Amino acid sequence: MDVRNPRNFAIDCLRGVAILLVVVHHLALPFRLPLAPSLLGPWLPSRLIDAVSFNGYEAVFMFFVISGFLITSRILERDGDLRRVRLGAFYLARARRIVPLLLVVLTGLTLLAALGVPDFAPSSRQSIAGLLGAALTFTFNWYEGRTGWAPAAWDVLWSLSIEEVFYVGFPLLCLALPRRLLVVALAALALSLIPLRSLVPVSNEVWWEKAYLPGMSAIAWGVLAALAAQRWRPAPREARALAIFGGVCVLLVIGWGDLVHRHLFKSGMYGLCVGTCAMLIAFRAHAPGPRRGLRWLARMGRLSYELYLSHMVVVLGTVALYRALLGTSQAWTFVVYVPAVVASVGVALALERLMAGLSGVVRTVIGPPRPSADESPGIARGH
């Protein structure tokens, strides 16, 4: 990777695929604007419809893996070793990147909730103060576990809670544990992903999706991949084979997850994590150059944090507008997908510019920030 251009086009595209799957998933849920009942549905294979419509959860786990990989790689680049991570710089960098945009988005969600807008306003068991407090303390999953599903526009905050709780403890473990013991602990956590999920009863839908430890297991996969990439740089031919292997693993889980679950010992999430790790190591060693036809996807990857926090506003607005115009008919749902994705990107771009403007004001007042151990949250920037 060229240090003069820290963007990694292939990793940005990988993140773009993940955030695209998330946005489409939230549009395609059966109680919103599903593709299958539309006029286009009979012309498309049902497996393709399912693959693009119902892999939002898997896409978030891809984000978790990418997050662990990128943030660990950044520590290794700047500090040389995990045991030399600078706590203050690490936490300050996380706060600078995560908190400003989160505060802006929470302000908008709070205003809409106070106005009683459906899918923004809390249920009878919840409150605006409770939602805000849980979001700001990264205990959103606990709050949902106690009170039930959060309003749709707030619900996406669950994955951010998992990431930030992990990154509170991760640098402390890096400093406290010898490298070998740290690797053993991370490997144990990574391999425990499916057993940890199995501990949660399927009947408890909230915790089945949003338990902290399975998500942290996926982040651990990314950390281990970054440590492997530090020691092993595959040759170009090896990297190409590794990327193809990783892509096949991920494609199998996304396109044929039911078969993987049934015939490969319920190992879909492992396949997803291993495949994502393989591609990350390959792309890190030999980053493919930009491809004109994929620049839009890479741009979505670079905007993935902004997109993730804000896309539900567009999704819910699209659903409301469609129903106002066409009622309950689902014949034309396929028409809204591209405009909704484009609108989501537009909102994310506006938020990016807003945050850049606010950062400029802060730099003018207090000066530029010091170089830090990390500048990229899990659903934000890729290097």
Side-chain angles (χ1 to χ4, degrees):
M1 183 177 63
D2 189 347
V3 296
R4 294 169 298 180
N5 180 23
R7 303 301 323 181
N8 187 306
F9 183 81
I11 294 179
D12 282 340
C13 285
L14 189 60
R15 300 175 77 117
V17 169
I19 192 60
L20 184 59
L21 286 172
V22 170
V23 176
V24 171
H25 171 73
H26 286 144
L27 268 172
L29 289 171
F31 51 85
R32 292 196 182 125
L33 302 175
L35 277 171
S38 72
L39 294 175
L40 189 61
W43 297 89
L44 296 175
S46 60
R47 189 168 292 279
L48 175 61
I49 292 176
D50 290 344
V52 301
S53 299
F54 304 122
N55 279 292
Y57 184 73
E58 287 75 12
V60 171
F61 270 70
M62 290 176 63
F63 275 128
F64 287 150
V65 177
I66 297 168
S67 167
F69 183 87
L70 292 176
I71 289 176
T72 303
S73 297
R74 179 59 70 183
I75 295 173
L76 294 173
E77 287 172 1
R78 294 196 171 179
D79 297 330
D81 190 274
L82 293 182
R83 296 205 67 188
R84 291 201 292 270
V85 60
R86 292 169 291 160
L87 288 180
F90 181 89
Y91 291 135
L92 186 59
R94 296 296 299 171
R96 280 197 176 110
R97 178 61 182 129
I98 291 290
V99 174
L101 180 59
L102 180 61
L103 291 177
V104 169
V105 170
L106 288 177
T107 299
L109 293 178
T110 300
L111 290 174
L112 292 169
L115 293 172
V117 178
D119 291 319
F120 292 85
S123 68
S124 59
R125 296 183 61 193
Q126 298 169 342
S127 66
I128 295 175
L131 291 168
L132 274 174
L136 292 171
T137 57
F138 305 113
T139 57
F140 203 82
N141 309 37
W142 287 104
Y143 187 74
E144 279 195 288
R146 295 195 313 271
T147 63
W149 294 103
W154 296 76
D155 188 58
V156 296
L157 296 170
W158 70 273
S159 64
L160 188 61
S161 291
I162 290 175
E163 283 192 274
E164 297 317 307
V165 169
F166 181 91
Y167 291 123
V168 167
F170 176 60
L172 298 175
L173 288 177
C174 291
L175 294 175
L177 298 179
R179 185 184 179 97
R180 286 188 179 180
L181 187 55
L182 176 64
V183 170
V184 169
L186 288 168
L189 178 59
L191 292 173
S192 298
L193 195 162
I194 292 178
L196 287 170
R197 290 197 76 209
S198 300
L199 292 175
V200 183
V202 179
S203 58
N204 189 335
E205 293 184 9
V206 175
W207 275 116
W208 176 252
E209 284 197 9
K210 301 175 181 182
Y212 280 83
L213 289 177
M216 292 181 182
S217 297
I219 300 173
W221 278 100
V223 175
L224 292 170
L227 293 173
Q230 182 190 34
R231 292 176 173 269
W232 174 52
R233 182 185 176 90
R237 182 175 296 180
E238 293 173 327
R240 192 176 304 112
L242 192 63
I244 292 171
F245 167 76
V248 169
C249 287
V250 171
L251 188 61
L252 281 174
V253 176
I254 290 176
W256 291 269
D258 57 328
L259 300 179
V260 171
H261 183 82
R262 188 181 312 139
H263 299 296
L264 295 179
F265 309 105
K266 304 179 181 180
S267 60
M269 297 307 286
Y270 286 143
L272 190 78
C273 292
V274 169
T276 304
C277 287
M279 286 189 284
L280 289 168
I281 293 172
F283 296 155
R284 187 79 172 182
H286 299 281
R291 302 289 191 273
R292 181 173 299 179
L294 293 176
R295 290 183 188 277
W296 64 273
L297 188 62
R299 188 69 178 112
M300 287 187 70
R302 292 195 294 273
L303 286 168
S304 55
Y305 182 50
E306 291 83 356
L307 271 165
Y308 188 80
L309 286 189
S310 65
H311 76 277
M312 284 304 297
V313 175
V314 176
V315 167
L316 295 172
T318 300
V319 173
L321 179 60
Y322 181 93
R323 289 179 179 162
L325 294 174
L326 297 174
T328 59
S329 170
Q330 295 180 328
W332 299 97
T333 57
F334 70 94
V335 173
V336 307
Y337 279 74
V338 172
V341 170
V342 171
S344 296
V345 172
V347 171
L349 284 168
L351 286 172
E352 182 187 52
R353 294 190 186 102
L354 173 63
M355 302 319 299
L358 293 176
S359 297
V361 172
V362 171
R363 287 190 180 95
T364 300
V365 175
I366 65 174
R370 297 177 181 179
S372 58
D374 166 60
E375 294 174 350
S376 81
I379 310 180
R381 307 202 181 279
H383 295 271

